[in-house]
């Protein structure tokens, strides 16, 4: 789904490369943490995946496309399949929550009918139902990031990139966002999240790719997916913060839930939109997870367990108005129930 082949990235006017012979592949359905200190090259990696930049040497192949051979004209169509969220949310301040999410769909020419259906659905997915009319300044930081996530998911991308998405949030709110990203991933979307909080993600038993001064120094799979025996029993270190422990516990719960429900298999190419058919209609009872030493309990260690993300039963979306059918072979068209393709906008195969 995403492949870095010996990627080196030099920025003009710098002597040392920002990335040096970075080589990895992210498979469909994976949740990958990209970790490393500030300046290690995480954002550079994400920018290459988004084709905001091209490698100096090596190849970056995303959704079957070599980003270097993608013409500028085709980039917007390519990007429709990749959602992205950032530390600073990047919402439009003069637009409401609904408008912020709808705007992306309007730009790509989605029909009014599709927007009217898709926006409330995706806002419900991220837990913002009822806040459609709020403006960004009327929301908490965590809620603003949820809007950004909703916006990134509105077009049902196959990949969600998150660059330090919790960087501006307090620990408790970061927990919520981590839970949300884990749930989105559990429902089939590939997630790549950059963070400098390496110590924290180490405990999550997800794949971790670590960069140091632009070099890949670690790629650990932690036993891989579907193997529930690899999911560890929680052994919090005493010094770990209550919120971090709660986040860890919540994510592990989600993993267990997802593994149990999905029969431990990864989503396949032929499956419906990442979260369309997969959102569990039967939500588990909210549960309370309490971990960590009671002495240091500041109240934030108690977080609700997996909340049921339900999606209103709806008809398949009317997608004939969406012209993004150029990557039919990626399975996107099928996912959206699209048949035709627009030759002018076609993104050609890379090999
Ligand atoms: P991270 O996201 O891990 O903090 P970045 O990918 O932003 O790291 O940066 C990696 C290195 O590349 C840093 O040394 C940074 O200064 C440099 N860098 C990033 N973007 C540019 C740019 N546009 N021009 C020059 N140098 C850059
Ligand atoms: Mg960065």
């Amino acid at each position: 789904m995403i492949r870095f082949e010996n990627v080196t990235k030099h920025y003009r006017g710098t002597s040392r490369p920002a990335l040096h012979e970075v080589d990895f592949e992210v498979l469909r359905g994976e949740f990958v943490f990209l970790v490393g200190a500030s300046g290690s090259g995480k954002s550079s990696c994400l920018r290459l995946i988004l084709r905001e930049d091209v490698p100096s040497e090596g190849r970056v192949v995303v959704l079957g496309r070599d980003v270097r051979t993608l013409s500028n004209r085709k980039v917007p169509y390519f990007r429709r399949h990749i959602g992205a969220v950032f530390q600073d949310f990047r919402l439009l301040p003069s637009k409401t929550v609904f408008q912020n999410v709808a705007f992306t769909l309007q730009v790509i020419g989605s029909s009014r009918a599709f927007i009217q259906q898709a926006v409330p659905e995706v806002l419900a997915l991220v837990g913002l139902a009822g806040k459609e009319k709020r403006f960004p300044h009327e929301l908490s930081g965590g809620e603003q990031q949820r809007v950004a996530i909703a916006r990134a998911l509105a077009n049902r991308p196959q990949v969600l990139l998150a660059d330090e998405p919790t960087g501006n949030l307090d620990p408790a709110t970061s927990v919520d966002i981590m839970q949300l990203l884990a749930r989105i991933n559990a429902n089939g979307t590939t997630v790549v999240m950059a963070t400098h909080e390496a110590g924290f993600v180490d405990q999550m038993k997800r794949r971790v790719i670590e960069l140091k001064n632009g070099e890949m120094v670690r790629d650990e799979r932690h036993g891989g997916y579907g193997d529930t025996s690899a999911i560890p029993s929680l052994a919090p270190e005493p010094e770990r913060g209550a919120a971090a422990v709660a986040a860890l516990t919540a994510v592990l719960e989600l993993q267990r839930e997802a593994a149990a429900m999905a029969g431990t298999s990864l989503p396949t190419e032929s499956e419906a939109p990442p979260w369309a058919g997969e959102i569990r209609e039967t939500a588990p009872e909210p549960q309370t997870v309490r971990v960590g030493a009671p002495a240091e309990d500041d109240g934030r260690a108690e977080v609700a367990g997996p909340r049921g993300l339900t999606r209103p039963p709806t008809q398949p979306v009317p997608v004939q108005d969406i012209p993004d059918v150029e990557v039919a072979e990626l399975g996107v068209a099928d996912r959206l129930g699209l048949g035709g393709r627009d030759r002018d906008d076609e993104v050609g195969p890379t090999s």
Side-chain angles (χ1 to χ4, degrees):
M1 176 152 273
I2 298 166
R3 200 165 69 243
F4 275 54
E5 298 175 0
N6 277 309
V7 171
T8 293
K9 177 66 192 173
H10 287 278
Y11 290 106
R12 220 184 312 241
T14 60
S15 51
R16 208 170 45 81
L19 295 172
H20 182 63
E21 294 182 0
V22 170
D23 200 273
F24 64 83
E25 179 163 18
V26 175
L27 302 178
R28 181 181 297 275
E30 281 196 284
F31 190 122
V32 181
F33 284 110
L34 204 53
V35 306
S38 180
S40 58
K42 305 180 297 293
S43 295
S44 295
C45 279
L46 296 185
R47 277 199 299 273
L48 291 173
I49 296 169
L50 263 177
R51 216 296 209 158
E52 287 181 357
D53 215 336
V54 293
S56 310
E57 289 159 51
R59 286 212 313 166
V60 174
V61 182
V62 180
L63 301 171
R65 301 295 177 289
D66 180 338
V67 298
R68 198 207 299 269
T69 62
L70 208 57
S71 71
N72 286 336
R73 194 171 57 84
K74 290 171 180 169
V75 166
Y77 297 93
F78 165 79
R79 289 204 187 121
R80 288 180 192 182
H81 306 284
I82 307 170
V85 294
F86 305 91
Q87 182 170 349
D88 55 358
F89 318 140
R90 303 190 186 181
L91 300 178
L92 298 165
S94 61
K95 289 189 185 292
T96 64
V97 167
F98 186 99
Q99 289 166 341
N100 261 281
V101 178
F103 185 67
T104 317
L105 294 172
Q106 285 160 355
V107 165
I108 64 171
S110 299
S111 72
R112 219 179 116 80
F114 177 77
I115 291 170
Q116 290 301 324
Q117 178 177 325
V119 174
E121 280 180 11
V122 77
L123 286 173
L125 180 84
V126 301
L128 285 178
K131 304 210 166 153
E132 289 84 352
K133 293 190 172 135
R134 300 267 191 101
F135 287 90
H137 72 269
E138 297 173 327
L139 299 172
S140 69
E143 288 171 331
Q144 289 184 50
Q145 191 59 292
R146 283 169 189 273
V147 178
I149 292 170
R151 182 178 57 184
L153 292 177
N155 198 37
R156 304 179 185 181
Q158 299 183 71
V159 180
L160 179 63
L161 305 178
D163 195 353
E164 310 259 8
T166 61
N168 278 351
L169 303 175
D170 63 63
T173 309
S174 300
V175 170
D176 294 340
I177 295 299
M178 284 307 308
Q179 277 186 285
L180 178 58
L181 292 178
R183 184 173 289 280
I184 287 163
N185 173 251
N187 286 299
T189 307
T190 306
V191 176
V192 181
M193 171 175 159
T195 176
H196 62 269
E197 297 185 79
F200 172 58
V201 304
D202 276 355
Q203 304 303 314
M204 310 252 273
K205 303 300 169 195
R206 294 299 188 117
R207 183 173 173 194
V208 177
I209 294 174
E210 183 174 349
L211 295 169
K212 194 171 183 182
N213 297 325
E215 309 237 7
M216 219 173 103
V217 294
R218 181 160 73 115
D219 182 1
E220 276 185 296
R221 286 179 182 274
H222 294 294
Y225 297 100
D227 177 6
T228 47
S229 67
I231 296 174
S233 56
L234 186 65
E237 292 162 19
E239 69 270 24
R240 185 166 298 128
V245 172
L248 165 58
T249 307
V251 171
L252 291 175
E253 281 298 316
L254 278 166
Q255 281 183 270
R256 285 193 193 93
E257 179 196 351
M261 284 176 159
T264 73
S265 65
L266 285 173
T268 60
E269 296 273 344
S270 61
E271 273 178 10
W275 37 271
E278 290 292 308
I279 303 297
R280 312 299 170 196
E281 302 295 346
T282 52
E285 287 299 310
Q287 38 187 284
T288 296
V289 180
R290 181 178 284 277
V291 289
E296 62 174 32
D297 187 358
D298 61 1
R300 292 188 306 197
E302 186 172 294
V303 295
R307 258 170 305 171
L309 275 176
T310 54
R311 195 157 170 264
T314 51
Q315 296 303 310
V317 291
V319 289
Q320 61 272 28
D321 306 280
I322 306 176
D324 66 337
V325 291
E326 71 290 344
V327 282
E329 72 272 32
L330 303 178
V332 176
D334 289 338
R335 283 161 178 262
L336 293 172
L338 293 166
R341 46 168 61 208
D342 176 347
R343 287 179 199 286
D344 281 337
D345 297 331
E346 195 167 316
V347 176
T350 51
S351 54

